[in-house]
Every structure is written in C-alpha cells, then in structure tokens.
Amino acid sequence: MQEPNKDISLKEFILRINFYFRELLRKWYIVLACSIIFGALFGLRAYYADKKYIAELTFMVNEDTGPSMNAIAANILGRFGGGAGKYNLEKILSLSRSKSIIEQTLVKKKTVDGKYDYLANHFITNYELNTSVKDTLLKDFYFSDDSINTLAESTMMLNIYLALTGEKGLFSSSSNDKSGIMTLRLISNNEDLSQSFINTMFEVLSNFYIEKSIEKEKLTYDLLKQRVELLYNRMNNQLDKATSYTDKSMGIWEESSRLPSIKLTRDSRISTELYGEILKNLEIADFTMKSKTPFIQQIDYPRKPLITEEAGLYIQIVIGGIIGFLFSAIIIILRKIVLTAFQQ
C-alpha cells in the first residue's frame, strides 16, 4: 500500500506544479510588466550610479649588484644578494598597506579638482567623512598640518586608513611572483584623487624602502666621512704648524729648538697615512652603499583618462528583470494559494 501512496503524492505534486504554472501563464502580462519595471529600475540605477576611477601603477625592484667583481673586491665588499626575491616582494607589499606609509601619503599636499590640500582632506571631502559621522569630535573636521597629535586627528586618520585597506577598501596591492612586478591600485569616485594618491604612494613607498635598505651602509659611510674630514683638517693644521716653525728658524735654530717642528712633521706624516687608509675605506663604503641601493623601476603609471569601473548596464537590466519575474511569480502563486484555500 505504501508504494501507491508515493505514486499518488508524486502525481499530485506534478499536477500542483502544473496548476500554478498555468496560473502564471494566465497572468503573463503581470509577470512581464513586473520584469520590465524592475529591469528598468535596475538599469536606471546603474546608468546614474557614480563612476569609479581606477588608478593602477606597476613597478619592479632591481636589487642586483651590477657588474661582477673579482674575488678580492668581493671579500672586501662582502656578499651581495640577487634581485628582489619573494620575501622582498612580500615585504614591499606589506609596507604599502602599513599605517606608516599610508599616513605619510595622506599628509602630502596635492591638487585635486583645482584645490591644493592634504590628500587626507580630499578623501574627507569626497566621501563626506566629517558630515555623516555621529562623533561630534569629527564634525566639520579637516587636517590643518601634517602632524597627527590630537585625538580627532588620530581618529579621522584611522577612519581613512580603514576606508582604504578594509575588507572592501579602496586601495589594494599585489605582485606577480614569477615576473616580480608589483601593482598599486586605487578605486575612488574622483579621477584626480585616484591618480594623485597612487603616484604619491609610490614616491613615499620607494623612498622609504630605499632608505631602510641601505640604512646600515649609510651610517657607516657617514661615520667614515666625518672621520675623513677630521683627519684632513688635523693633517693640514699639523703641516701648517711644521712649515711655520721651519720658516721662523731660517735654518739657524739649534737642534733642540727644532724638536716641535720634527714632532709636528712626524704627526703630520702619521695623519696623512691614516687619512689615506680611511679615505680608501670611505670609497669602499660608498661603493658598497651604491651597490646595495635597490633600484625601483616604475613601469606603468596612471594617466588620464583613467579606466572607469561601472556597474554593467545590460547586466543590471537582466538582474532586475529576473528579480521582477520572481517577485511577480511569488505574489501570483501566494494569491492563488490563498484563494484556493478560501474556496475549499
């Protein structure tokens, strides 16, 4: 007895589906009207939606040492790394999303829509970050200098940072592990803002990375340079004094009276030898620093007119039509269910 029940239930289910399908066919004009209306509404929304401007900048980092050196020079200058490896790519990308780099970028002044101001203030204006907030501290707030000291400055900067790097942030960075090419990308509602931010970000990021990459070598070079300057001045001073003693004696001073001149001449010779050694070390340090300095090569840069990201008009019309069809079908079926229930 159970098997026939199953056949009857399946048959009833198919009949019921057919019943509601025929009801939809009878009300085809309602379904069509809803599909057209919803499709038109979605299409209009896509047509009048704000354009989003995409600014992309690609670059690569060359950390090769340049011409090969012989074994002696290699021992003097130490081991050099090759090109930018995967670790360095990840390091640069992490830096690009760091608060430090983004904040340094935001406090740079650039011209957007004819107005010269901090990039942070341009973001505040374009996204109304100081008008649509509940926090009275940020009402009508703008940055007046490039420092972040007050609570309001810190809070607003955090809001901009989250808007840039959040889950659906405006800014993104990526790399191709095979080619080593990195990309900085910003999508905003303002063409000037997208272009200015990405170009400024690249400048800040490249300068910071180069500076930190050769920080130790730069410190060694500066210390040696100071030492060379001190020895140079001391050597010249000793030579001048020794010459002065010799000129005053005119060859008639006793040997004991010439002792200061002899000492000064000896000290001057020692200083000259030390000067030569440290000068050689300074040249090696300078070569090392220049060899270790990474070269960041910009490949493509954002140039007007920028590519725009718009919601596809035809896709939105189709989506609206589908939603209109489903909406009208659900209403018609529910209405038929209710009427059938009351008739029974």
Side-chain angles (χ1 to χ4, degrees):
M1 296 295 294
Q2 293 179 354
E3 194 67 28
N5 286 337
K6 286 186 178 180
D7 291 339
I8 293 171
S9 297
L10 180 59
K11 182 179 180 181
E12 288 180 349
F13 176 75
I14 294 174
L15 290 174
R16 191 167 293 274
I17 292 296
N18 185 50
F19 174 74
Y20 290 125
F21 180 72
R22 283 189 286 110
E23 181 65 17
L24 289 178
L25 290 179
R26 287 180 59 246
K27 305 289 185 181
W28 65 269
Y29 53 90
I30 297 177
V31 175
L32 180 61
C34 286
S35 297
I36 293 174
I37 291 172
F38 274 79
L41 290 175
F42 274 67
L44 287 172
R45 187 184 67 172
Y47 182 79
Y48 288 105
D50 291 336
K51 290 183 179 180
K52 294 181 180 180
Y53 296 90
I54 304 172
E56 279 191 349
L57 186 148
T58 56
F59 65 98
M60 61 187 300
V61 180
N62 184 359
E63 294 181 296
D64 293 335
T65 60
S68 60
M69 300 174 294
N70 57 38
I72 297 176
N75 288 331
I76 294 174
L77 298 175
R79 181 177 62 85
F80 292 93
K86 184 176 181 181
Y87 171 74
N88 285 339
L89 294 181
E90 293 175 351
K91 182 165 63 175
I92 294 172
L93 293 181
S94 295
L95 281 172
S96 70
R97 293 187 289 266
S98 67
K99 290 184 68 176
S100 175
I101 295 299
I102 289 179
E103 287 180 1
Q104 289 181 52
T105 303
L106 290 172
V107 295
K108 299 292 185 182
K109 283 191 171 184
K110 298 294 175 179
T111 301
V112 174
D113 292 337
K115 183 180 180 182
Y116 184 69
D117 202 352
Y118 298 106
L119 282 171
N121 287 340
H122 290 307
F123 273 102
I124 293 172
T125 300
N126 278 273
Y127 290 94
E128 301 179 346
L129 298 179
N130 61 352
T131 57
S132 58
V133 292
K134 296 180 180 179
D135 191 350
T136 56
L137 187 68
L138 302 181
K139 282 288 186 181
D140 301 322
F141 173 85
Y142 285 102
F143 288 92
S144 57
D145 53 50
D146 58 1
S147 61
I148 304 172
N149 299 316
T150 67
L151 179 60
E153 291 171 343
S154 179
T155 303
M156 181 58 80
M157 187 60 73
L158 178 61
N159 290 347
I160 301 175
Y161 174 77
L162 293 176
L164 289 169
T165 62
E167 185 176 350
K168 296 182 179 180
L170 307 175
F171 172 74
S172 63
S173 57
S174 59
S175 68
N176 186 312
D177 293 339
K178 293 182 179 180
S179 65
I181 294 176
M182 285 161 277
T183 303
L184 303 178
R185 190 172 193 253
L186 183 81
I187 304 176
S188 81
N189 59 5
N190 187 293
E191 189 174 28
D192 285 347
L193 182 58
S194 292
Q195 182 185 42
S196 296
F197 179 85
I198 285 298
N199 286 330
T200 308
M201 158 74 77
F202 174 72
E203 293 174 8
V204 171
L205 179 63
S206 57
N207 290 337
F208 181 88
Y209 183 73
I210 291 173
E211 180 183 338
K212 293 302 177 183
S213 296
I214 60 170
E215 192 171 28
K216 292 181 180 179
E217 288 75 18
K218 181 70 165 54
L219 178 61
T220 300
Y221 175 82
D222 290 340
L223 290 174
L224 284 172
K225 188 176 181 181
Q226 292 178 8
R227 185 64 176 162
V228 165
E229 291 174 353
L230 287 173
L231 277 174
Y232 181 77
N233 293 331
R234 181 190 299 176
M235 178 183 65
N236 287 337
N237 188 41
Q238 290 168 341
L239 282 172
D240 290 342
K241 287 184 178 181
T243 303
S244 177
Y245 270 107
T246 302
D247 291 343
K248 288 180 180 179
S249 69
M250 298 184 66
I252 60 175
W253 282 14
E254 297 180 359
E255 192 67 25
S256 60
S257 301
R258 296 179 57 212
L259 186 60
S261 176
I262 295 173
K263 288 183 177 180
L264 286 170
T265 303
R266 179 201 62 193
D267 293 343
S268 175
R269 188 180 301 113
I270 293 173
S271 296
T272 301
E273 292 176 357
L274 286 173
Y275 175 77
E277 287 296 319
I278 295 181
L279 185 61
K280 182 172 67 176
N281 290 335
L282 178 64
E283 291 175 353
I284 293 174
D286 180 51
F287 183 81
T288 303
M289 182 177 66
K290 291 178 179 178
S291 299
K292 285 182 174 286
T293 300
F295 178 66
I296 300 181
Q297 177 64 51
Q298 183 175 332
I299 302 173
D300 292 322
Y301 59 93
R303 182 171 56 188
K304 292 181 181 179
L306 298 181
I307 298 173
T308 58
E309 180 185 74
E310 303 178 70
L313 179 62
Y314 296 110
I315 293 176
Q316 291 298 311
I317 291 175
V318 172
I319 292 174
I322 293 173
I323 292 176
F325 169 79
L326 293 175
F327 175 77
S328 60
I330 291 172
I331 296 298
I332 291 171
I333 291 172
L334 287 177
R335 178 178 177 277
K336 190 62 177 178
I337 290 173
V338 172
L339 292 175
T340 305
F342 277 107
Q343 287 175 0
Q344 292 177 354

